[in-house]
Amino acid sequence: MLTRPSPVLVPDGEAHWIETAEGLAERFSATVAADDESGELPIEHLRAISASGLDAAFLPVEAGGEALSYATLAQVVRIFAAAHPAVAAVWLMHIGAAHGLVTMSAPAAAEYFAERLRAGDRFANALSEPAGGNHFLASQQDVEPVDGGWVLSGRKLFVSGVEAADHLLLNVRIDGAPAFFGVDRDETMSLPPIDQTIGMRATRSRTILFEGTVLERARLCGPPPVDYANLITVGFASLSIGIAESAIDALTVSANAKKGPAAERLADASWVKSETAMAWAELRAARLLAEQTAWLADRRDPQAMLAATEAKMLTNEVAKKAAALALKVGGGGAYLARSPIQRIFRDAQAGALMAYSVPFSQELVGGWVLAAPPTPV
């Protein structure tokens, strides 16, 4: 297969973490089909990532980490997603929530959450709400003041990995303004029966109910630094890149399989070559944009978050198209439950639905383009 050169080089001192991720991903790929079929959270894989030291390495240096680059984040997410998309998705939410809490919390709380991440605790994002839609950062739930903080009764949706989570990053509304908290799981929280998804089933994205949960004033987060790029927002695009790469790999295997009495290969068909060429070029272009986003984030460039929206929008669609082509080339065999292509196709749909969804991102990006002054010829 053609090589996939990366224009964004991982710093020399971080290259060993890419090797670590590749070794872990090899183990993940061995269970991806079974995990999809069972729909159970692959907790042992997530614990293996933590045990490798990778989780803690993403923490800031002052919090006991190595402050790994966004370039490394992008490559790790891509590697994990190509092997096991559900692991990649849950891990990205976990490390993003933990990193956000350490970055935005007051010193004592930041130290606490950093210590818990280093100890192997699990984190999750509890931000999406029934009425929130794409505006998942703008909570619709008001909380009442109590001694030492506020009390929350309500629900959050699509909380990936929540079954194993020890701590949550959640948002509410205080006096009409958004507020974010770090919260430890306790007996005031419960999980109603799961609504299983058709793809990325092993993320176990569930609803969580809060009944009189106290939000401590000491755990109220402050605003992020103006040049801070959220790990989840930056990493989202690489999740779809990994899925698209696995789709192209599966397509290639299927197209090169000899079929029929004449031992013909679909790889020799003109239409397969033509459509694969476009899928390949679109994948490379999408990966370039995803990696440029990581490069901007490492430069602390305020354009990083804008680029992340563009990258997610493009990579989501590229993954869907690559998976659809793999299904088309694979034919009836690819539609069988035993084929990896049918799982890849289902997994590819998920990214486009995650906030910001593709239609919402298109509206944002289109608005930015149309509002920009004309470029001189």
Side-chain angles (χ1 to χ4, degrees):
M1 186 169 188
L2 294 176
T3 58
R4 297 171 174 139
S6 172
V8 180
L9 297 178
V10 169
D12 290 341
E14 300 179 14
H16 68 284
W17 287 116
I18 303 302
E19 296 175 2
T20 296
E22 290 172 341
L24 289 165
E26 187 174 350
R27 294 163 54 185
F28 302 164
S29 63
T31 72
V32 63
D35 294 338
D36 173 71
E37 183 176 359
S38 69
E40 296 300 318
L41 187 70
I43 187 63
E44 293 305 319
H45 291 334
L46 299 168
R47 288 173 177 157
I49 299 172
S50 177
S52 76
L54 188 59
D55 285 0
F58 275 98
L59 288 172
V61 173
E62 60 272 20
E66 299 179 26
L68 294 185
S69 65
Y70 289 92
T72 293
L73 173 75
Q75 299 306 332
V76 169
V77 173
R78 178 187 62 81
I79 291 166
F80 286 169
H84 198 311
V87 167
V90 174
W91 179 76
L92 181 60
M93 299 299 171
H94 156 74
I95 196 64
H99 197 275
L101 285 171
V102 171
T103 301
M104 299 186 297
S105 295
E111 182 178 354
Y112 168 76
F113 288 124
E115 189 278 329
R116 296 321 307 160
L117 181 69
R118 295 195 302 268
D121 280 8
R122 309 296 314 164
F123 290 74
N125 281 283
L127 303 175
S128 297
E129 298 175 357
N134 278 284
H135 300 281
F136 64 101
L137 295 179
S139 175
Q140 306 298 306
Q141 299 189 79
D142 295 293
V143 290
E144 297 296 326
V146 295
D147 289 342
W150 296 264
V151 64
L152 167 65
S153 292
R155 68 176 59 204
K156 298 289 185 175
L157 309 179
F158 300 114
V159 185
S160 298
V162 67
E163 293 167 331
D166 303 292
H167 315 280
L168 302 172
L169 170 60
L170 63 79
N171 58 339
V172 294
R173 191 165 55 187
I174 298 176
D175 297 329
F180 292 80
F181 287 85
V183 181
D184 299 334
R185 282 279 299 278
D186 63 25
E187 67 281 357
T188 67
M189 306 172 198
S190 62
L191 304 176
I194 188 171
D195 287 320
Q196 190 60 271
T197 57
I198 66 167
M200 282 201 199
R201 290 161 46 82
T203 60
R204 301 288 289 182
S205 298
R206 303 187 63 167
T207 295
I208 181 170
L209 302 180
F210 302 88
E211 298 180 20
T213 300
V214 175
L215 309 179
E216 299 177 18
R217 186 178 297 274
R219 297 284 182 84
L220 175 63
C221 296
V226 293
D227 59 353
Y228 176 67
N230 180 272
L231 270 67
I232 297 172
T233 305
V234 173
F236 253 149
S238 295
L239 185 64
S240 285
I241 290 295
I243 295 173
E245 289 183 352
S246 67
I248 295 293
D249 287 342
L251 180 160
T252 301
V253 170
S254 182
N256 280 286
K258 294 183 179 180
K259 303 174 182 178
E264 297 175 341
R265 302 182 316 155
L266 272 176
D268 295 322
S270 177
W271 73 268
V272 175
K273 292 179 182 178
S274 297
E275 294 195 36
T276 300
M278 285 304 299
W280 173 257
E282 289 172 349
L283 172 56
R284 288 197 63 197
R287 181 168 167 178
L288 282 167
L289 183 54
E291 291 178 338
Q292 184 197 46
T293 300
W295 177 76
L296 289 168
D298 279 324
R299 289 167 56 90
R300 314 291 287 192
D301 192 311
Q303 295 295 313
M305 298 302 278
L306 302 181
T309 301
E310 294 181 41
K312 181 183 181 297
M313 175 186 71
L314 178 62
T315 58
N316 291 164
E317 291 302 286
V318 166
K320 288 166 59 179
K321 289 176 67 175
L325 179 59
L327 190 64
K328 181 178 180 180
V329 171
Y335 201 67
L336 297 176
R338 67 172 180 266
S339 169
I341 292 177
Q342 55 80 26
R343 176 190 54 77
I344 294 168
F345 179 84
R346 288 185 287 105
D347 285 348
Q349 312 308 309
L353 301 173
M354 297 176 183
Y356 297 149
S357 67
V358 166
F360 188 80
S361 298
Q362 289 173 327
E363 184 175 351
L364 288 177
V365 175
W368 298 337
V369 173
L370 294 171
T375 302
V377 178

PDB file of all heavy atoms in Angstrom, residues 282-311:
ATOM      1  N   GLU A 282      -8.767  12.096  -1.190  1.00  0.00           N
ATOM      2  CA  GLU A 282      -9.579  12.804  -0.189  1.00  0.00           C
ATOM      3  C   GLU A 282      -9.106  12.475   1.226  1.00  0.00           C
ATOM      4  O   GLU A 282      -9.088  13.347   2.100  1.00  0.00           O
ATOM      5  CB  GLU A 282     -11.055  12.431  -0.365  1.00  0.00           C
ATOM      6  CG  GLU A 282     -11.673  13.025  -1.619  1.00  0.00           C
ATOM      7  CD  GLU A 282     -13.062  12.495  -1.895  1.00  0.00           C
ATOM      8  OE1 GLU A 282     -13.477  11.511  -1.225  1.00  0.00           O
ATOM      9  OE2 GLU A 282     -13.738  13.035  -2.785  1.00  0.00           O
ATOM     10  N   LEU A 283      -8.720  11.226   1.445  1.00  0.00           N
ATOM     11  CA  LEU A 283      -8.204  10.843   2.753  1.00  0.00           C
ATOM     12  C   LEU A 283      -6.908  11.578   3.068  1.00  0.00           C
ATOM     13  O   LEU A 283      -6.714  12.090   4.175  1.00  0.00           O
ATOM     14  CB  LEU A 283      -7.979   9.329   2.800  1.00  0.00           C
ATOM     15  CG  LEU A 283      -7.253   8.774   4.030  1.00  0.00           C
ATOM     16  CD1 LEU A 283      -7.961   9.165   5.318  1.00  0.00           C
ATOM     17  CD2 LEU A 283      -7.121   7.259   3.922  1.00  0.00           C
ATOM     18  N   ARG A 284      -6.015  11.649   2.098  1.00  0.00           N
ATOM     19  CA  ARG A 284      -4.753  12.356   2.324  1.00  0.00           C
ATOM     20  C   ARG A 284      -4.997  13.839   2.599  1.00  0.00           C
ATOM     21  O   ARG A 284      -4.362  14.440   3.470  1.00  0.00           O
ATOM     22  CB  ARG A 284      -3.835  12.199   1.111  1.00  0.00           C
ATOM     23  CG  ARG A 284      -3.248  10.806   0.946  1.00  0.00           C
ATOM     24  CD  ARG A 284      -2.069  10.811   0.005  1.00  0.00           C
ATOM     25  NE  ARG A 284      -0.983  11.640   0.548  1.00  0.00           N
ATOM     26  CZ  ARG A 284       0.041  12.093  -0.185  1.00  0.00           C
ATOM     27  NH1 ARG A 284       0.084  11.855  -1.490  1.00  0.00           N
ATOM     28  NH2 ARG A 284       0.994  12.811   0.369  1.00  0.00           N
ATOM     29  N   ALA A 285      -5.918  14.438   1.843  1.00  0.00           N
ATOM     30  CA  ALA A 285      -6.222  15.854   2.054  1.00  0.00           C
ATOM     31  C   ALA A 285      -6.818  16.079   3.439  1.00  0.00           C
ATOM     32  O   ALA A 285      -6.468  17.045   4.135  1.00  0.00           O
ATOM     33  CB  ALA A 285      -7.180  16.346   0.977  1.00  0.00           C
ATOM     34  N   ALA A 286      -7.714  15.197   3.846  1.00  0.00           N
ATOM     35  CA  ALA A 286      -8.334  15.328   5.165  1.00  0.00           C
ATOM     36  C   ALA A 286      -7.303  15.160   6.269  1.00  0.00           C
ATOM     37  O   ALA A 286      -7.330  15.870   7.281  1.00  0.00           O
ATOM     38  CB  ALA A 286      -9.452  14.297   5.309  1.00  0.00           C
ATOM     39  N   ARG A 287      -6.394  14.212   6.081  1.00  0.00           N
ATOM     40  CA  ARG A 287      -5.364  14.005   7.103  1.00  0.00           C
ATOM     41  C   ARG A 287      -4.445  15.227   7.199  1.00  0.00           C
ATOM     42  O   ARG A 287      -4.036  15.613   8.289  1.00  0.00           O
ATOM     43  CB  ARG A 287      -4.563  12.744   6.793  1.00  0.00           C
ATOM     44  CG  ARG A 287      -3.494  12.471   7.835  1.00  0.00           C
ATOM     45  CD  ARG A 287      -2.894  11.095   7.713  1.00  0.00           C
ATOM     46  NE  ARG A 287      -1.688  11.005   8.529  1.00  0.00           N
ATOM     47  CZ  ARG A 287      -0.964   9.912   8.660  1.00  0.00           C
ATOM     48  NH1 ARG A 287      -1.311   8.811   8.024  1.00  0.00           N
ATOM     49  NH2 ARG A 287       0.125   9.903   9.406  1.00  0.00           N
ATOM     50  N   LEU A 288      -4.133  15.829   6.061  1.00  0.00           N
ATOM     51  CA  LEU A 288      -3.322  17.049   6.082  1.00  0.00           C
ATOM     52  C   LEU A 288      -3.995  18.141   6.907  1.00  0.00           C
ATOM     53  O   LEU A 288      -3.345  18.834   7.695  1.00  0.00           O
ATOM     54  CB  LEU A 288      -3.066  17.539   4.661  1.00  0.00           C
ATOM     55  CG  LEU A 288      -1.992  16.816   3.866  1.00  0.00           C
ATOM     56  CD1 LEU A 288      -2.082  17.197   2.396  1.00  0.00           C
ATOM     57  CD2 LEU A 288      -0.603  17.146   4.405  1.00  0.00           C
ATOM     58  N   LEU A 289      -5.304  18.307   6.736  1.00  0.00           N
ATOM     59  CA  LEU A 289      -6.023  19.330   7.483  1.00  0.00           C
ATOM     60  C   LEU A 289      -6.071  18.985   8.967  1.00  0.00           C
ATOM     61  O   LEU A 289      -5.903  19.872   9.821  1.00  0.00           O
ATOM     62  CB  LEU A 289      -7.445  19.473   6.924  1.00  0.00           C
ATOM     63  CG  LEU A 289      -8.314  20.564   7.551  1.00  0.00           C
ATOM     64  CD1 LEU A 289      -7.620  21.919   7.500  1.00  0.00           C
ATOM     65  CD2 LEU A 289      -9.667  20.632   6.843  1.00  0.00           C
ATOM     66  N   ALA A 290      -6.261  17.713   9.294  1.00  0.00           N
ATOM     67  CA  ALA A 290      -6.271  17.299  10.696  1.00  0.00           C
ATOM     68  C   ALA A 290      -4.924  17.549  11.350  1.00  0.00           C
ATOM     69  O   ALA A 290      -4.836  18.016  12.501  1.00  0.00           O
ATOM     70  CB  ALA A 290      -6.654  15.826  10.800  1.00  0.00           C
ATOM     71  N   GLU A 291      -3.865  17.259  10.620  1.00  0.00           N
ATOM     72  CA  GLU A 291      -2.530  17.444  11.184  1.00  0.00           C
ATOM     73  C   GLU A 291      -2.146  18.917  11.246  1.00  0.00           C
ATOM     74  O   GLU A 291      -1.410  19.336  12.145  1.00  0.00           O
ATOM     75  CB  GLU A 291      -1.519  16.630  10.382  1.00  0.00           C
ATOM     76  CG  GLU A 291      -1.725  15.135  10.590  1.00  0.00           C
ATOM     77  CD  GLU A 291      -0.784  14.271   9.786  1.00  0.00           C
ATOM     78  OE1 GLU A 291      -0.251  14.759   8.770  1.00  0.00           O
ATOM     79  OE2 GLU A 291      -0.586  13.099  10.165  1.00  0.00           O
ATOM     80  N   GLN A 292      -2.651  19.716  10.306  1.00  0.00           N
ATOM     81  CA  GLN A 292      -2.426  21.158  10.407  1.00  0.00           C
ATOM     82  C   GLN A 292      -3.102  21.717  11.652  1.00  0.00           C
ATOM     83  O   GLN A 292      -2.571  22.608  12.323  1.00  0.00           O
ATOM     84  CB  GLN A 292      -2.960  21.880   9.167  1.00  0.00           C
ATOM     85  CG  GLN A 292      -2.642  23.374   9.194  1.00  0.00           C
ATOM     86  CD  GLN A 292      -3.499  24.168   8.219  1.00  0.00           C
ATOM     87  OE1 GLN A 292      -4.704  23.987   8.154  1.00  0.00           O
ATOM     88  NE2 GLN A 292      -2.861  25.047   7.463  1.00  0.00           N
ATOM     89  N   THR A 293      -4.269  21.182  11.990  1.00  0.00           N
ATOM     90  CA  THR A 293      -4.959  21.602  13.209  1.00  0.00           C
ATOM     91  C   THR A 293      -4.097  21.330  14.431  1.00  0.00           C
ATOM     92  O   THR A 293      -3.973  22.185  15.316  1.00  0.00           O
ATOM     93  CB  THR A 293      -6.307  20.871  13.338  1.00  0.00           C
ATOM     94  OG1 THR A 293      -7.124  21.182  12.201  1.00  0.00           O
ATOM     95  CG2 THR A 293      -7.029  21.279  14.604  1.00  0.00           C
ATOM     96  N   ALA A 294      -3.493  20.151  14.486  1.00  0.00           N
ATOM     97  CA  ALA A 294      -2.601  19.818  15.601  1.00  0.00           C
ATOM     98  C   ALA A 294      -1.396  20.750  15.627  1.00  0.00           C
ATOM     99  O   ALA A 294      -0.951  21.188  16.699  1.00  0.00           O
ATOM    100  CB  ALA A 294      -2.155  18.367  15.489  1.00  0.00           C
ATOM    101  N   TRP A 295      -0.863  21.061  14.452  1.00  0.00           N
ATOM    102  CA  TRP A 295       0.285  21.973  14.353  1.00  0.00           C
ATOM    103  C   TRP A 295      -0.079  23.357  14.880  1.00  0.00           C
ATOM    104  O   TRP A 295       0.675  23.973  15.641  1.00  0.00           O
ATOM    105  CB  TRP A 295       0.730  22.040  12.891  1.00  0.00           C
ATOM    106  CG  TRP A 295       1.846  22.987  12.611  1.00  0.00           C
ATOM    107  CD1 TRP A 295       3.169  22.814  12.890  1.00  0.00           C
ATOM    108  CD2 TRP A 295       1.731  24.276  11.965  1.00  0.00           C
ATOM    109  NE1 TRP A 295       3.894  23.908  12.457  1.00  0.00           N
ATOM    110  CE2 TRP A 295       3.045  24.818  11.895  1.00  0.00           C
ATOM    111  CE3 TRP A 295       0.667  25.007  11.452  1.00  0.00           C
ATOM    112  CZ2 TRP A 295       3.297  26.064  11.313  1.00  0.00           C
ATOM    113  CZ3 TRP A 295       0.923  26.241  10.879  1.00  0.00           C
ATOM    114  CH2 TRP A 295       2.219  26.754  10.825  1.00  0.00           C
ATOM    115  N   LEU A 296      -1.256  23.851  14.514  1.00  0.00           N
ATOM    116  CA  LEU A 296      -1.708  25.144  15.011  1.00  0.00           C
ATOM    117  C   LEU A 296      -1.883  25.114  16.527  1.00  0.00           C
ATOM    118  O   LEU A 296      -1.525  26.071  17.227  1.00  0.00           O
ATOM    119  CB  LEU A 296      -3.028  25.530  14.345  1.00  0.00           C
ATOM    120  CG  LEU A 296      -2.970  25.918  12.864  1.00  0.00           C
ATOM    121  CD1 LEU A 296      -4.372  25.985  12.276  1.00  0.00           C
ATOM    122  CD2 LEU A 296      -2.242  27.247  12.680  1.00  0.00           C
ATOM    123  N   ALA A 297      -2.438  24.017  17.052  1.00  0.00           N
ATOM    124  CA  ALA A 297      -2.633  23.901  18.499  1.00  0.00           C
ATOM    125  C   ALA A 297      -1.299  23.901  19.233  1.00  0.00           C
ATOM    126  O   ALA A 297      -1.163  24.512  20.300  1.00  0.00           O
ATOM    127  CB  ALA A 297      -3.421  22.639  18.816  1.00  0.00           C
ATOM    128  N   ASP A 298      -0.302  23.236  18.673  1.00  0.00           N
ATOM    129  CA  ASP A 298       1.023  23.232  19.299  1.00  0.00           C
ATOM    130  C   ASP A 298       1.671  24.609  19.271  1.00  0.00           C
ATOM    131  O   ASP A 298       2.488  24.940  20.140  1.00  0.00           O
ATOM    132  CB  ASP A 298       1.933  22.206  18.606  1.00  0.00           C
ATOM    133  CG  ASP A 298       1.684  20.786  19.089  1.00  0.00           C
ATOM    134  OD1 ASP A 298       1.404  20.617  20.291  1.00  0.00           O
ATOM    135  OD2 ASP A 298       1.764  19.851  18.275  1.00  0.00           O
ATOM    136  N   ARG A 299       1.314  25.418  18.306  1.00  0.00           N
ATOM    137  CA  ARG A 299       1.826  26.782  18.218  1.00  0.00           C
ATOM    138  C   ARG A 299       1.015  27.752  19.085  1.00  0.00           C
ATOM    139  O   ARG A 299       1.298  28.952  19.100  1.00  0.00           O
ATOM    140  CB  ARG A 299       1.787  27.263  16.762  1.00  0.00           C
ATOM    141  CG  ARG A 299       2.808  26.593  15.867  1.00  0.00           C
ATOM    142  CD  ARG A 299       2.523  26.872  14.396  1.00  0.00           C
ATOM    143  NE  ARG A 299       2.449  28.300  14.101  1.00  0.00           N
ATOM    144  CZ  ARG A 299       3.492  29.040  13.739  1.00  0.00           C
ATOM    145  NH1 ARG A 299       4.690  28.483  13.631  1.00  0.00           N
ATOM    146  NH2 ARG A 299       3.337  30.317  13.463  1.00  0.00           N
ATOM    147  N   ARG A 300      -0.007  27.231  19.757  1.00  0.00           N
ATOM    148  CA  ARG A 300      -0.924  28.046  20.564  1.00  0.00           C
ATOM    149  C   ARG A 300      -1.593  29.116  19.704  1.00  0.00           C
ATOM    150  O   ARG A 300      -1.890  30.218  20.159  1.00  0.00           O
ATOM    151  CB  ARG A 300      -0.194  28.705  21.740  1.00  0.00           C
ATOM    152  CG  ARG A 300       0.731  27.806  22.524  1.00  0.00           C
ATOM    153  CD  ARG A 300      -0.013  26.757  23.309  1.00  0.00           C
ATOM    154  NE  ARG A 300      -0.702  27.292  24.470  1.00  0.00           N
ATOM    155  CZ  ARG A 300      -1.232  26.541  25.438  1.00  0.00           C
ATOM    156  NH1 ARG A 300      -1.137  25.221  25.359  1.00  0.00           N
ATOM    157  NH2 ARG A 300      -1.835  27.092  26.464  1.00  0.00           N
ATOM    158  N   ASP A 301      -1.867  28.749  18.473  1.00  0.00           N
ATOM    159  CA  ASP A 301      -2.484  29.672  17.521  1.00  0.00           C
ATOM    160  C   ASP A 301      -4.000  29.680  17.750  1.00  0.00           C
ATOM    161  O   ASP A 301      -4.630  28.616  17.779  1.00  0.00           O
ATOM    162  CB  ASP A 301      -2.175  29.216  16.097  1.00  0.00           C
ATOM    163  CG  ASP A 301      -2.529  30.251  15.042  1.00  0.00           C
ATOM    164  OD1 ASP A 301      -3.664  30.774  15.082  1.00  0.00           O
ATOM    165  OD2 ASP A 301      -1.687  30.530  14.181  1.00  0.00           O
ATOM    166  N   PRO A 302      -4.611  30.844  17.903  1.00  0.00           N
ATOM    167  CA  PRO A 302      -6.063  30.894  18.116  1.00  0.00           C
ATOM    168  C   PRO A 302      -6.868  30.337  16.949  1.00  0.00           C
ATOM    169  O   PRO A 302      -8.063  30.050  17.106  1.00  0.00           O
ATOM    170  CB  PRO A 302      -6.342  32.388  18.331  1.00  0.00           C
ATOM    171  CG  PRO A 302      -5.169  33.098  17.745  1.00  0.00           C
ATOM    172  CD  PRO A 302      -3.999  32.195  17.938  1.00  0.00           C
ATOM    173  N   GLN A 303      -6.254  30.170  15.786  1.00  0.00           N
ATOM    174  CA  GLN A 303      -6.954  29.596  14.641  1.00  0.00           C
ATOM    175  C   GLN A 303      -7.143  28.090  14.771  1.00  0.00           C
ATOM    176  O   GLN A 303      -7.870  27.479  13.977  1.00  0.00           O
ATOM    177  CB  GLN A 303      -6.174  29.887  13.351  1.00  0.00           C
ATOM    178  CG  GLN A 303      -6.090  31.363  12.979  1.00  0.00           C
ATOM    179  CD  GLN A 303      -7.459  31.936  12.653  1.00  0.00           C
ATOM    180  OE1 GLN A 303      -8.220  31.344  11.906  1.00  0.00           O
ATOM    181  NE2 GLN A 303      -7.767  33.095  13.208  1.00  0.00           N
ATOM    182  N   ALA A 304      -6.517  27.483  15.780  1.00  0.00           N
ATOM    183  CA  ALA A 304      -6.577  26.024  15.915  1.00  0.00           C
ATOM    184  C   ALA A 304      -7.999  25.524  16.085  1.00  0.00           C
ATOM    185  O   ALA A 304      -8.401  24.519  15.476  1.00  0.00           O
ATOM    186  CB  ALA A 304      -5.707  25.568  17.080  1.00  0.00           C
ATOM    187  N   MET A 305      -8.781  26.192  16.921  1.00  0.00           N
ATOM    188  CA  MET A 305     -10.127  25.707  17.179  1.00  0.00           C
ATOM    189  C   MET A 305     -11.033  25.882  15.954  1.00  0.00           C
ATOM    190  O   MET A 305     -11.934  25.078  15.718  1.00  0.00           O
ATOM    191  CB  MET A 305     -10.718  26.426  18.395  1.00  0.00           C
ATOM    192  CG  MET A 305      -9.938  26.176  19.674  1.00  0.00           C
ATOM    193  SD  MET A 305      -9.810  24.420  20.100  1.00  0.00           S
ATOM    194  CE  MET A 305     -11.383  24.161  20.886  1.00  0.00           C
ATOM    195  N   LEU A 306     -10.799  26.931  15.175  1.00  0.00           N
ATOM    196  CA  LEU A 306     -11.552  27.101  13.931  1.00  0.00           C
ATOM    197  C   LEU A 306     -11.175  26.007  12.936  1.00  0.00           C
ATOM    198  O   LEU A 306     -12.043  25.410  12.285  1.00  0.00           O
ATOM    199  CB  LEU A 306     -11.279  28.476  13.326  1.00  0.00           C
ATOM    200  CG  LEU A 306     -11.607  29.688  14.209  1.00  0.00           C
ATOM    201  CD1 LEU A 306     -11.293  30.975  13.457  1.00  0.00           C
ATOM    202  CD2 LEU A 306     -13.067  29.674  14.625  1.00  0.00           C
ATOM    203  N   ALA A 307      -9.882  25.740  12.835  1.00  0.00           N
ATOM    204  CA  ALA A 307      -9.418  24.690  11.933  1.00  0.00           C
ATOM    205  C   ALA A 307      -9.959  23.333  12.359  1.00  0.00           C
ATOM    206  O   ALA A 307     -10.238  22.467  11.520  1.00  0.00           O
ATOM    207  CB  ALA A 307      -7.891  24.666  11.899  1.00  0.00           C
ATOM    208  N   ALA A 308     -10.119  23.126  13.665  1.00  0.00           N
ATOM    209  CA  ALA A 308     -10.633  21.850  14.160  1.00  0.00           C
ATOM    210  C   ALA A 308     -12.052  21.601  13.672  1.00  0.00           C
ATOM    211  O   ALA A 308     -12.426  20.461  13.373  1.00  0.00           O
ATOM    212  CB  ALA A 308     -10.583  21.827  15.688  1.00  0.00           C
ATOM    213  N   THR A 309     -12.854  22.654  13.582  1.00  0.00           N
ATOM    214  CA  THR A 309     -14.221  22.502  13.074  1.00  0.00           C
ATOM    215  C   THR A 309     -14.195  22.100  11.604  1.00  0.00           C
ATOM    216  O   THR A 309     -14.936  21.207  11.175  1.00  0.00           O
ATOM    217  CB  THR A 309     -15.001  23.811  13.250  1.00  0.00           C
ATOM    218  OG1 THR A 309     -15.031  24.160  14.639  1.00  0.00           O
ATOM    219  CG2 THR A 309     -16.427  23.674  12.741  1.00  0.00           C
ATOM    220  N   GLU A 310     -13.351  22.748  10.818  1.00  0.00           N
ATOM    221  CA  GLU A 310     -13.217  22.389   9.408  1.00  0.00           C
ATOM    222  C   GLU A 310     -12.734  20.954   9.255  1.00  0.00           C
ATOM    223  O   GLU A 310     -13.253  20.188   8.427  1.00  0.00           O
ATOM    224  CB  GLU A 310     -12.220  23.323   8.713  1.00  0.00           C
ATOM    225  CG  GLU A 310     -12.646  24.768   8.621  1.00  0.00           C
ATOM    226  CD  GLU A 310     -11.596  25.597   7.884  1.00  0.00           C
ATOM    227  OE1 GLU A 310     -11.056  25.107   6.871  1.00  0.00           O
ATOM    228  OE2 GLU A 310     -11.296  26.712   8.328  1.00  0.00           O
ATOM    229  N   ALA A 311     -11.735  20.586  10.055  1.00  0.00           N
ATOM    230  CA  ALA A 311     -11.144  19.254   9.946  1.00  0.00           C
ATOM    231  C   ALA A 311     -12.143  18.172  10.313  1.00  0.00           C
ATOM    232  O   ALA A 311     -12.237  17.142   9.639  1.00  0.00           O
ATOM    233  CB  ALA A 311      -9.902  19.157  10.839  1.00  0.00           C
TER     234      ALA A 311
END
